């Protein structure tokens, strides 16, 4: 799977950033684009230097391949010769060289755990790491000694099941009190049940091949005060089950989120509408056998096949309930998922997405993110800074703020664009500001027409100082920012200069 990071991905402060300065893409030489790499991997050229052989690599052997023109890297037990990929890597050669001749798994997980490297580098595969010699009896490796010590983090959940004549209920006991419906994702696919529950920074997985057939529709309910989740399946036949089924891969596992892989389900394109001259609102319908609600501030990955390769890109879903002008009642959030996406004519991914016909399918991953709604508790002034499609994560934050934040006095949006035609949902934002006096929005243009009477320019100390006026002198504040990487990085730097702390700022992926 080949992956195309968005301009503002990873965002500052996100798990994908490798340093506080942020991780930027580097300019690539002519003929070193993603499509050029796809062509090279399909050319039949020997990219390993081993003429098709796979070998077992010892630690000593791996260490010797630590130069730019002879660079081997181990990721999760597999060794790759990444020298041919050096000039194609969007993060630059220096980033790859950080793991030259070594195990780069931890670095890989920090920067872009979501990339399916097995597919991207499959033509560069050298072989597997050699199994270490067995430890003599009576001795434990240091890692095993460490693993026996108590670990920090939430207690491991458990599950049970019971049945009636017509239904089967799987009860998950999370042992936490802050669980809600967007904490659990359930997929029924091909007779198997996959239920993943997110508990703080951990993931608990139930993965079972069911012993009997069930209907595709099911229900999920959460009893928040005891942290219990019930998944109620409807039997196809009213017979008694002797067992729930057979455990599948990683069943009953409880691991950190960063160690889990992404899971996709196929969603059907229901509609697409023009929002601006180059931005569309896509509506995807989740499978009826899926329960998925994307938490506020989280993103998902969309996956398409382009010229025979799978391309992945991150996008933040938007809520249409308060801004888009949809008729009431709002569509149920657990059935449809919406995306505001800018179409780049010369891009690799978005033109393919735009060419999809109603009824076609797109693969959508489980949600990822590190935004915590708890940070908005007791906030009185909320400031949102967005540039271009960096507006997308602000939609759900804005909706949450105006409907769920009892302490809120003021929420202000400063929205940067190039021209008036680029402003997403301008009329809807202005109507919302008229309707709810707590909300105010300001538009800033970098290339306005002569008739524009509003604010102009780029993010700057002067614009921010005027915008960031508290409702009270010591009111509790929080700031969200999202846009292209230079905008986000510069904005965060200026916010720090204005004495806002890291705890008061969150940078989103676009």
């Amino acid at each position: 799977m080949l992956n195309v990071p968005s301009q503002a991905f990873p965002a500052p402060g996100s798990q994908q950033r490798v340093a506080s300065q942020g991780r930027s893409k580097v300019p690539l030489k002519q003929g070193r684009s993603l499509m050029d790499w796809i062509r090279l991997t399909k050319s039949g050229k020997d990219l390993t230097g081993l003429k098709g052989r796979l070998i077992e690599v010892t630690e000593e052997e791996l260490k010797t391949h630590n130069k730019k023109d002879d660079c081997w890297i181990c990721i999760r037990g597999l060794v790759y010769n990444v020298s041919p990929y050096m000039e194609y890597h969007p993060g630059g050669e220096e980033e790859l060289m950080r793991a030259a001749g070594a195990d780069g798994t931890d670095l890989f997980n920090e920067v872009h755990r979501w990339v399916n490297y097995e597919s991207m580098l499959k033509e560069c595969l050298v072989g597997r790491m050699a199994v270490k010699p067995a430890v003599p009896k009576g001795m434990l490796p240091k890692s095993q000694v460490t693993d026996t010590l108590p670990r920090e983090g939430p207690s491991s959940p458990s599950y049970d099941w019971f049945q009636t004549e017509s239904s089967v209920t799987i009860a998950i006991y999370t042992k936490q009190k802050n669980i809600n419906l967007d904490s659990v994702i359930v997929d029924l696919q091909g007779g198997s049940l996959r239920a993943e529950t997110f508990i703080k920074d951990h993931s608990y997985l139930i993965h079972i091949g069911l012993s009997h057939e069930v209907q595709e529709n099911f229900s999920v309910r959460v009893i928040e005060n005891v942290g219990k989740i019930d998944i109620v399946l409807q039997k196809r036949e009213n017979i008694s089950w002797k067992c729930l089924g057979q455990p599948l891969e990683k069943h009953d596992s409880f691991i950190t989120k960063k160690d889990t892989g992404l899971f996709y389900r196929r969603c059907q394109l229901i509609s697409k509408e023009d929002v601006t001259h180059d931005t569309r609102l896509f509506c995807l319908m989740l499978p009826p056998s899926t329960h998925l609600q994307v938490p506020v501030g989280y993103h998902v990955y969309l996956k398409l096949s382009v010229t025979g390769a799978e391309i992945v890109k991150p996008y933040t879903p938007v809520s249409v309930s308060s801004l888009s002008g949809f008729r009431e009642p709002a569509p149920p959030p657990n059935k449809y998922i919406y995306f505001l996406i800018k179409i780049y004519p010369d891009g690799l991914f978005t033109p393919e997405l735009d060419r999809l016909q109603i009824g076609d399918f797109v693969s959508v991953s489980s949600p990822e993110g590190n935004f915590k709604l708890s940070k908005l508790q007791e906030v009185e002034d909320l400031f949102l800074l967005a540039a271009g499609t960096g507006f997308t994560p602000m939609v759900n934050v804005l909706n949450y703020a105006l409907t769920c934040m009892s302490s809120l006095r003021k929420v202000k949006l400063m929205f940067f664009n190039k021209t008036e035609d680029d402003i997403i949902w301008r009329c809807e934002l202005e109507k919302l500001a008229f309707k709810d006096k707590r909300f105010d929005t300001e538009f800033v243009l970098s290339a306005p027409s002569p008739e524009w009477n509003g604010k102009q320019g780029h993010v700057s100390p002067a614009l921010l100082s005027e915008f960031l006026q508290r409702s009270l002198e010591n009111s509790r504040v929080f700031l969200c920012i999202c846009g292209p990487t230079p905008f986000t990085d510069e904005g965060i730097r200026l916010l720090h200069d204005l004495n806002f702390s890291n705890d008061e700022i969150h940078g989103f992926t676009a």
Side-chain angles (χ1 to χ4, degrees), residues 1 48 52 57 90 127 181 186 220 229 236 245 296 308 349 406 426 441:
M1 186 190 305
T48 65
V57 183
L181 280 173
V186 183
V220 179
I229 299 168
R236 283 201 179 273
V296 174
F349 187 89
S406 58
R426 178 181 180 179
T441 184

Side-chain angles (χ1 to χ4, degrees), residues 263-329:
F263 184 80
Y264 289 85
R265 69 279 303 149
R266 295 176 75 236
C267 298
Q268 191 172 34
L269 179 63
I270 299 301
S271 67
K272 58 179 176 180
E273 302 175 9
D274 291 340
V275 177
T276 71
H277 62 99
D278 61 359
T279 303
R280 315 268 189 273
L281 178 67
F282 292 83
C283 173
L284 301 178
M285 183 173 67
L286 291 165
S289 54
T290 290
H291 165 85
L292 184 154
Q293 293 181 196
V294 181
V296 174
Y298 279 53
H299 57 270
V300 298
Y301 299 95
L302 302 186
K303 180 170 68 173
L304 284 174
S305 179
V306 180
T307 64
E310 287 184 326
I311 310 296
V312 173
K313 204 174 180 191
Y315 291 102
T316 302
V318 296
S319 166
V320 298
S321 59
S322 60
L323 282 178
S324 70
F326 272 72
R327 296 190 188 97
E328 297 294 337

Side-chain angles (χ1 to χ4, degrees), residues 161-174:
W161 72 283
F162 55 90
Q163 62 182 311
T164 66
E165 184 181 7
S166 60
S167 68
V168 170
T169 298
I170 299 166
I172 302 173
Y173 305 96
T174 68

